[in-house]
Amino acid sequence: MAPLYRWSLLILLALGNMAQAGIPDEELDADELHPAAAPPAIQQLPSTTRGLQHEQDLMRQLPGEQQLNLNTAEQHWLGLWLPAARPEAHGAIILVADRAEHADWPQLIGPARRQLSEAGWQTLAIALPDQPAEDFGLPQEQRLERQQTWQLLARERLQHSASHLREQGAEQVILLGRGEAAWLALQVGTEQADAFDALVLYRLRSPETGPTASTLMEGWDKPLLDIVPSSRAGDDRSARERRLTAQRLGYEHYQQLRPADPASMPQGQTMLIKRIDGWLQRSLP
């Protein structure tokens, strides 16, 4: 009887353990069959990280007194600030680099922010927002929507930078843009004419979406320097359209400058920046 009793007891214990172990297994299977709903993903504008890397590099390389943190509710960015090298500044100049360039870009932006400061201007150099990541698989409509969102963020940077300079006491604010930033500068200037006193456009490049530069010029009647240092056919056509638009409108404050490409001569940038300084001092009170 003893061996049979022992076998019966072992069988009962095994059945009890299986029953206890079966409860969590059944619960786990139910969870796997009916998982909790995941929270909805936040829709953001896909972008690269090049702009952030540029800012981090500049913050390590440049003195802290030149660095200015600017921000709005939607974004924050680095501005490179230099005071005027004279008791009373001629005015303040916002220098905006082209797409994928940083605020101390060696072509025009960096040299101009230093040289114009020495010439008596306050300078604030900024970069455009990080551009949307390329996704050629997206429909054309979605890609255009991304570009429009990017343009809104870019214009916000220009507008806020001007507001900051006005709050700091700048009586005259000039906007200088390079490449597509030149087109954005012209658009912001026509939208908020009271915020800017003059525009300097360097090698203007129009984006895929938005009005042409010639159309935008119809809403701007203050000093405008249009610099076209190129002989490419596309630049020549668009520059000619802008010049003819100024003639048609009787636009006396417009000047188109066609210097040799600064990249082709060692002192080209220094000479060009001197011409920008001279034009501003002649054109503004």
Side-chain angles (χ1 to χ4, degrees):
M1 296 294 294
L4 180 60
Y5 174 78
R6 284 197 300 270
W7 279 109
S8 301
L9 181 59
L10 291 172
I11 291 172
L12 290 173
L13 290 173
L15 290 173
N17 290 337
M18 290 173 62
Q20 292 177 1
I23 295 174
D25 288 344
E26 292 176 358
E27 292 178 351
L28 180 60
D29 292 341
D31 290 342
E32 290 178 347
L33 290 173
H34 306 285
I42 299 175
Q43 298 297 322
Q44 295 180 343
L45 184 66
S47 66
T48 65
T49 58
R50 179 181 296 180
L52 178 60
Q53 184 62 53
H54 282 162
E55 289 192 353
Q56 292 173 346
D57 292 342
L58 291 175
M59 292 174 69
R60 288 193 298 267
Q61 296 168 7
L62 298 175
E65 60 268 21
Q66 295 186 21
Q67 301 175 24
L68 185 64
N69 292 318
L70 300 167
N71 61 82
T72 64
E74 301 295 333
Q75 56 181 325
H76 63 274
W77 63 97
L78 175 68
L80 299 183
W81 163 260
L82 282 175
R86 58 174 295 173
E88 292 187 9
H90 298 307
I93 303 177
I94 303 171
L95 302 108
V96 192
D98 198 0
R99 278 182 182 253
E101 299 178 352
H102 55 69
D104 200 34
W105 195 251
Q107 297 178 10
L108 183 66
I109 302 300
R113 79 179 189 90
R114 290 181 284 271
Q115 190 173 330
L116 291 173
S117 169
E118 295 173 0
W121 301 88
Q122 299 170 335
T123 63
L124 175 62
I126 65 173
L128 294 174
D130 216 5
Q131 58 188 344
E134 293 290 344
D135 192 341
F136 296 103
L138 287 178
Q140 177 73 4
E141 182 179 354
Q142 291 187 25
R143 289 198 294 113
L144 293 178
E145 287 178 357
R146 284 188 180 183
Q147 291 300 320
Q148 290 171 354
T149 300
W150 179 85
Q151 289 176 12
L152 288 173
L153 294 173
R155 295 204 302 271
E156 183 183 58
R157 287 196 179 193
L158 273 59
Q159 294 164 356
H160 182 78
S161 298
S163 298
H164 174 81
L165 293 175
R166 295 288 187 184
E167 291 171 359
Q168 299 303 311
E171 296 183 359
Q172 296 188 113
V173 176
I174 297 93
L175 189 53
L176 183 155
R178 167 182 161 86
E180 191 165 336
W183 179 87
L184 288 163
L186 185 56
Q187 187 179 40
V188 170
T190 58
E191 291 175 348
Q192 294 190 342
D194 293 340
F196 304 98
D197 297 279
L199 298 177
V200 179
L201 313 179
Y202 180 87
R203 191 173 280 167
L204 184 148
R205 186 180 69 257
S206 299
E208 294 179 354
T209 60
T212 65
S214 297
T215 301
L216 291 173
M217 281 178 56
E218 297 180 3
W220 178 262
D221 61 355
K222 296 180 181 179
L224 191 157
L225 180 61
D226 189 1
I227 305 173
V228 190
S230 176
S231 60
R232 291 180 300 178
D235 288 346
D236 282 345
R237 284 195 299 269
S238 59
R240 182 173 182 273
E241 290 176 1
R242 296 195 297 275
R243 179 171 53 81
L244 293 177
T245 298
Q247 292 179 4
R248 175 172 55 84
L249 297 174
Y251 189 6
E252 298 178 356
H253 305 291
Y254 176 87
Q255 180 178 348
Q256 190 169 106
L257 185 63
R258 302 184 67 91
D261 194 334
S264 64
M265 49 190 304
Q267 302 301 320
Q269 289 201 114
T270 299
M271 296 172 59
L272 175 61
I273 295 167
K274 285 183 178 180
R275 297 182 73 175
I276 293 173
D277 172 39
W279 178 83
L280 287 172
Q281 294 199 44
R282 292 191 304 271
S283 302
L284 296 174

